[in-house]
Amino acid sequence: MPANLKLGINLGFAINKYVEPHVWTKIVAEDMGLKYVQFVADLLNVFLPEEVVKEQVHLINENTAKYGLEITSTFTSAFTRVNHFMHPDAAMRKVWLDWFKKFAQISTEMGAKSTGSHFGILTFANYDDPKRREYIIEEGLKHWKELSWHCRDLGMEFLMFEPMSIPREMANTVADTKELLERLNDGAGLPFKICLDVGHAPHPNDRDPYRWVRELGKDSPIIHIQQTELNHSRHWPFTEEYNKVGIVLGEPLLEAIEASGAEEAELIFEIGHREAWGSEFKIIQDHVDSVNYWRQFVKA
């Protein structure tokens, strides 16, 4: 039976551009014609005062309900791409554990069944010292597992980490990703899954995005999709211009998902636009064109 696939959007496109809940919900629902949303922490960082967070969650829920949107998951984003549970300082690791617990709480209040991030980031000092590197990785595992039990109590279904582009950021090969997934699930309160990104295939031996999906798609209920070229993670839109030079196309990606044995997946647009005259005013149209391209392959 073919995998049950859905199209959705990562809200990274809205950071500092469409931050108002009544604005981004209308864009996603009416302009893009999408229903499923991956909310990002940079739109509502839980370091903010509690009363501010509470009011924003209320506005988000009010507007997602108005437009029939579902926030199915939450994730960190550009401004929260920091060391987290692999920070060299123990006090900072504890701060980020508390942060993730708060983020998980508001995620469930918005309806999300999962949250996630990159696993963590090693500093060069810790990466270059094998003994220290393994200690910090163990710290990352410990903190993620503690978070998993907290998320279980909140009613979440699973947690995710995203394979990244360099060894310091973890899981930059298929083999390393499988090993990390196994270590995370040993003693976890909830299942750990993967959030694949078709552009994160940077290692010289692992640059085929379809191989990543074939081997890991079954464990990746959410897949970030972007148009890109070999050896890069461009986060281009799926427009006619970029589809001519890009390597991520509908039919081979769906074939890879089928080959993985996945039963379902959300294909989540993660398209980036730099602050430049050539791209600033094309954000919404590029997303509309990208959705139109993928509607040939995914109806939901």
Side-chain angles (χ1 to χ4, degrees):
M1 180 181 294
N4 177 27
L5 301 179
K6 302 174 181 177
L7 286 182
I9 183 75
N10 174 284
L11 291 183
F13 84 93
I15 297 169
N16 82 30
K17 304 176 182 74
Y18 309 106
V19 302
E20 307 92 335
H22 69 279
V23 173
W24 65 254
T25 50
K26 187 174 187 294
I27 290 171
V28 170
E30 295 189 350
D31 293 317
M32 299 181 188
L34 296 171
K35 178 178 181 179
Y36 304 103
V37 173
Q38 183 175 70
F39 188 84
V40 295
D42 293 353
L43 287 178
L44 183 56
N45 196 313
V46 296
F47 279 146
L48 293 168
E50 184 175 349
E51 62 273 16
V52 173
V53 173
K54 184 177 180 180
E55 175 61 18
Q56 286 295 307
V57 169
H58 170 74
L59 291 172
I60 290 164
N61 286 340
E62 185 176 65
N63 282 280
T64 53
K66 177 181 177 180
Y67 290 103
L69 302 179
E70 293 183 22
I71 295 177
T72 57
S73 67
T74 63
F75 225 73
T76 54
S77 196
F79 302 144
T80 38
R81 184 175 173 176
V82 293
N83 304 91
H84 294 157
F85 299 153
M86 294 170 70
H87 195 284
D89 187 277
M92 290 293 287
R93 295 195 292 273
K94 176 62 167 60
V95 166
W96 280 106
L97 178 59
D98 292 341
W99 184 94
F100 271 102
K101 287 180 177 180
K102 292 176 184 176
F103 188 51
Q105 174 66 48
I106 70 164
S107 298
T108 58
E109 291 172 8
M110 292 187 290
K113 296 300 183 183
S114 176
T115 191
S117 177
H118 55 280
F119 176 80
I121 302 175
L122 289 156
T123 63
F124 271 108
N126 286 334
Y127 179 76
D128 291 339
D129 181 340
K131 185 176 180 180
R132 178 72 177 171
R133 179 172 66 224
E134 183 55 32
Y135 170 74
I136 295 295
I137 291 172
E138 287 288 348
E139 284 291 288
L141 291 164
K142 180 180 74 175
H143 284 71
W144 272 111
K145 290 178 186 181
E146 180 174 338
L147 178 65
S148 75
W149 289 97
H150 177 78
C151 291
R152 187 196 70 164
D153 292 341
L154 290 174
M156 284 193 169
E157 296 177 358
F158 59 92
L159 293 180
M160 297 176 289
F161 73 92
E162 184 173 16
M164 298 300 283
S165 298
I166 52 175
R168 280 192 311 108
E169 294 187 350
M170 305 295 291
N172 79 133
T173 69
V174 170
D176 287 348
T177 302
K178 289 179 178 179
E179 179 187 7
L180 185 58
L181 183 64
E182 183 177 355
R183 293 178 73 178
L184 274 168
N185 276 310
D186 183 10
L190 282 177
F192 276 91
K193 303 288 186 178
I194 301 164
C195 180
L196 285 175
D197 185 315
V198 293
H200 292 191
H203 192 279
N205 298 329
D206 270 334
R207 286 182 169 155
D208 178 3
Y210 302 115
R211 180 192 170 217
W212 281 78
V213 175
R214 286 194 301 270
E215 296 208 26
L216 297 168
K218 190 174 183 179
D219 294 309
S220 186
I222 292 177
I223 300 175
H224 288 164
I225 56 173
Q226 51 158 307
Q227 187 55 282
T228 191
E229 58 186 341
L230 191 65
N231 306 339
H232 294 280
S233 185
R234 297 296 194 189
H235 292 274
W236 287 334
F238 293 92
T239 59
E240 183 177 355
E241 172 191 0
Y242 287 114
N243 287 342
K244 289 179 180 179
V245 296
I247 61 171
V248 179
L249 299 171
E251 289 185 2
L253 183 60
L254 264 61
E255 290 171 359
I257 292 171
E258 292 294 326
S260 77
E263 296 181 359
E264 60 181 1
E266 290 180 35
L267 304 184
I268 299 290
F269 293 105
E270 194 180 45
I271 297 168
H273 288 77
R274 299 191 66 180
E275 289 74 10
W277 276 97
S279 58
E280 177 80 355
F281 302 103
K282 297 167 59 178
I283 296 171
I284 296 176
Q285 188 59 52
D286 280 352
H287 277 83
V288 170
D289 291 345
S290 298
V291 172
N292 289 339
Y293 170 76
W294 280 94
R295 283 293 180 218
Q296 302 173 78
F297 310 102
V298 181
K299 303 303 180 184

